[in-house]
Amino acid sequence: MSSTKNSEMSSSSLFKKRFVHLDLKGAPPKVSYLSEVFPLFHALGANGLLVEYEDMFPYEGQLQLLRAKHAYSPSEINEILHLAAQHGLEVVPLVQTFGHMEFVLKHQALAHLREVAVFPNTLNPHEAESLALVGTMVDQVLKLHPGSRWFHMGCDEVYYLGEGEASRQWLQQEHNTKAKLCLSHMKAVASYVRGRYPTTTPLVWDDMLRDIPEDQLSALLMEKYRKCGFPQLWAASAFKGSTGVSQALTPIEHHLRNHLQWLQVAASTPADSLQGIVLTGWQRYDHLSVLCELLPVGIPSLAVCLQSLLYGGFAEDIKARVENFLGIPSLDVTNFTSEGAASFPGSDILALITQVSFHLRSSVDALLERDRYVTGWFSPYHRRRKLVHPVMLQHIQPQALSLLARWDTLVRELEAALQRVFYPDAVEEWLEENVQPSLRRLQDLLQDLHEATSPTDGAQGP
């Protein structure tokens, strides 16, 4: 892809602020890994971080139940902030205060604050205790982020709003609408932040605002927001985590196109109306979904996107810069594979996950579903009845053992690489979701072979 601008020029990005989103609600990296990637983020053109702590924040007191098993300690938060500052990355903390509250409302002690009793995702905006809860979360987070210029309130995907009993009654009153209900809670949280922290500006995702009529929000989207008293806006793109709920590899070209479109949008808006852009990197679609692309897997995409934003496009010289930063001999943005080994932090994880994603399931399928000896002489019928021709054992067992040994070796290498970057629960989850089902099929085949060849009394033919 070529750029419409001269990519040899010095950085004059249309987006003065380029913040990388760290979604910690799944596979949060160890601080030691962040210390390796923050210099790379900075070198690629990032100048800030949007940190979505979720349950990785060290909440205290009555909120201690919100902490994940391996939540960062206060000293680790300080270390993250120190590392970020050291590499020119301004940190904006993000705390969900309305939707995506599963990590809070899943707890029985706080379940009474749900908008709909059976769903833990949305906070009931009618309860005084709800705002008090949010206020406490905000206070604890900002206490460890003194002097933050911005605070992100979340507020995206507030599903089932208006469907709780209190909301139904409220909506029956004249002039009350879901839009008004949504705005009133956002305003309450923003007012709390501004009142307690006058130098901190609240930020909010805009998806719940898009359909609100112009007369209520005070209309093309950016012009609508500008008219409604939002003089400076941020854009939000994605470098990973938005193309499939269980996606393991990042489609770089998809994300590159998204950023090139954002460059066109920025070029057509009044100067300085866009404050910056957040490159989101979702790690789960929500607290209760599976993991999608791990951070190291998404780094080549992040590099391509940041450099494109910085230089106004993705010409050949920008591609060469990205390859140099990542230590990749030849980057292929149209495919999931690239030639040669890379050298960026976590590149071993990307290489091993690529192997698993492309070849693990397919190699097991080839043996179990297309090998003539397995399908012809050790079918599900035979396996259930523990029957196998002894000659066929010599064809099937060595292949299965060899395949299992090959994958066991690679998976042990992947597990060790993952353990250097992630906490044990994330490593266990990724392997259980992406590796164990295929290995278990091989192990089950070998177990059935063993049982079929064990001496039994009165074995019958099919």
Side-chain angles (χ1 to χ4, degrees):
M1 290 187 183
S2 62
S3 166
T4 56
K5 295 181 178 249
N6 179 5
S7 57
E8 292 294 340
M9 67 181 182
S10 61
S11 167
S12 58
S13 175
L14 292 163
F15 296 96
K16 300 303 180 190
K17 299 187 185 305
R18 298 167 298 278
F19 281 33
V20 177
H21 173 226
L22 290 180
D23 181 15
L24 303 180
K25 65 176 175 283
K30 294 178 179 178
V31 178
S32 56
Y33 182 68
L34 296 179
S35 72
E36 296 177 38
V37 293
F38 283 2
L40 178 61
F41 290 0
H42 173 73
L44 289 168
N47 49 26
L49 303 169
L50 177 65
V51 184
E52 183 166 358
Y53 286 108
E54 223 214 31
D55 58 0
M56 283 301 290
F57 188 81
Y59 288 105
E60 298 176 340
Q62 292 182 322
L63 297 186
Q64 192 165 342
L65 80 169
L66 305 185
R67 290 189 191 185
K69 180 179 180 181
H70 300 285
Y72 297 138
S73 65
S75 63
E76 285 179 312
I77 299 286
N78 287 333
E79 178 65 10
I80 291 170
L81 296 178
H82 172 72
L83 289 167
Q86 202 173 14
H87 299 290
L89 301 170
E90 183 172 4
V91 174
V92 175
L94 186 157
V95 176
Q96 290 287 2
T97 59
F98 205 178
H100 283 298
M101 291 282 280
E102 295 95 342
F103 81 103
V104 177
L105 301 177
K106 70 178 183 181
H107 298 285
Q108 199 55 45
L110 297 167
H112 63 287
L113 297 179
R114 298 173 179 179
E115 166 73 346
V116 177
V118 294
F119 301 140
N121 47 294
T122 296
L123 191 68
N124 181 345
H126 303 279
E127 291 281 350
E129 192 181 339
S130 293
L131 190 58
L133 167 69
V134 166
T136 304
M137 292 167 66
V138 170
D139 287 342
Q140 291 195 16
V141 170
L142 285 180
K143 181 181 177 183
L144 286 185
H145 295 76
S148 286
R149 287 200 288 170
W150 292 284
F151 173 84
H152 203 302
M153 302 162 25
C155 296
D156 59 319
E157 299 182 340
V158 188
Y159 297 138
Y160 311 111
L161 179 65
E163 296 183 21
E165 187 54 40
S167 288
R168 289 178 186 273
Q169 293 180 17
W170 185 85
L171 289 169
Q172 287 175 0
Q173 299 172 33
E174 193 176 0
H175 304 307
N176 284 350
T177 64
K178 285 187 181 181
K180 186 176 178 182
L181 179 58
C182 182
L183 283 172
S184 65
H185 181 75
M186 288 184 179
K187 182 180 177 182
V189 177
S191 296
Y192 181 87
V193 174
R194 292 293 282 177
R196 298 266 295 185
Y197 310 94
T199 60
T200 301
T201 301
L203 302 176
V204 65
W205 298 123
D206 83 312
D207 57 290
M208 295 303 294
L209 304 177
R210 291 173 199 167
D211 296 328
I212 293 176
E214 194 171 342
D215 59 346
Q216 290 190 42
L217 187 60
S218 208
L220 222 152
L221 264 180
M222 287 175 37
E223 182 60 21
K224 174 180 178 177
Y225 294 147
R226 226 161 44 83
K227 284 182 181 176
C228 299
F230 297 96
Q232 291 186 313
L233 304 171
W234 290 69
S237 59
F239 72 90
K240 78 174 190 75
S242 63
T243 57
V245 68
S246 59
Q247 183 85 18
L249 295 173
T250 305
I252 298 176
E253 188 175 32
H254 170 88
H255 296 292
L256 171 58
R257 284 180 179 149
N258 179 229
H259 286 83
L260 295 178
Q261 288 171 337
W262 270 115
L263 284 168
Q264 292 177 6
V265 170
S268 65
T269 59
D272 298 328
S273 63
L274 273 172
Q275 182 107 351
I277 186 168
V278 175
L279 293 83
T280 63
W282 306 103
Q283 196 53 77
R284 296 187 197 277
Y285 276 32
D286 65 45
H287 181 78
L288 299 172
S289 68
V290 298
L291 294 168
C292 46
E293 309 106 292
L294 300 174
L295 179 57
V297 171
I299 283 181
S301 176
L302 176 63
V304 166
C305 296
L306 277 171
Q307 285 283 286
S308 297
L309 291 175
L310 195 62
Y311 292 104
F314 194 63
E316 281 300 314
D317 55 329
I318 304 306
K319 178 175 178 285
R321 286 175 60 87
V322 169
E323 290 168 345
N324 183 54
F325 280 126
L326 301 179
I328 294 178
S330 178
L331 177 68
D332 184 355
V333 300
T334 64
N335 207 323
F336 289 112
T337 57
S338 295
E339 294 177 20
S343 60
F344 65 86
S347 56
D348 53 343
I349 291 174
L350 171 57
L352 292 163
I353 285 179
T354 301
Q355 286 291 309
V356 167
S357 298
F358 275 102
H359 304 299
L360 174 56
R361 182 184 292 183
S362 61
S363 66
V364 174
D365 285 349
L367 176 64
L368 270 60
E369 298 172 16
R370 294 187 291 281
D371 181 275
R372 65 188 294 263
Y373 299 113
V374 175
T375 59
W377 282 271
F378 206 47
S379 69
Y381 176 90
H382 294 87
R383 291 176 66 172
R384 281 194 299 273
R385 288 161 178 77
K386 312 301 181 195
L387 296 168
V388 66
H389 194 299
V391 169
M392 294 305 153
L393 182 68
Q394 298 172 26
H395 288 287
I396 300 169
Q397 192 178 51
Q399 282 193 83
L401 285 170
S402 173
L403 191 59
L404 183 60
R406 178 158 64 89
W407 282 114
D408 269 341
T409 299
L410 186 143
V411 170
R412 279 198 298 272
E413 190 180 344
L414 173 57
E415 185 173 13
L418 290 171
Q419 286 172 343
R420 288 193 291 272
V421 174
F422 301 108
Y423 297 97
D425 51 356
V427 176
E428 179 185 13
E429 179 182 351
W430 198 93
L431 293 175
E432 190 170 323
E433 286 282 350
N434 297 280
V435 171
Q436 294 307 326
S438 292
L439 293 188
R440 203 171 294 121
R441 293 177 70 202
L442 279 177
Q443 291 160 350
D444 289 347
L445 175 72
L446 287 163
Q447 179 63 27
D448 287 350
L449 278 171
H450 172 74
E451 292 178 10
T453 54
S454 297
T456 57
D457 293 327
Q460 300 295 316

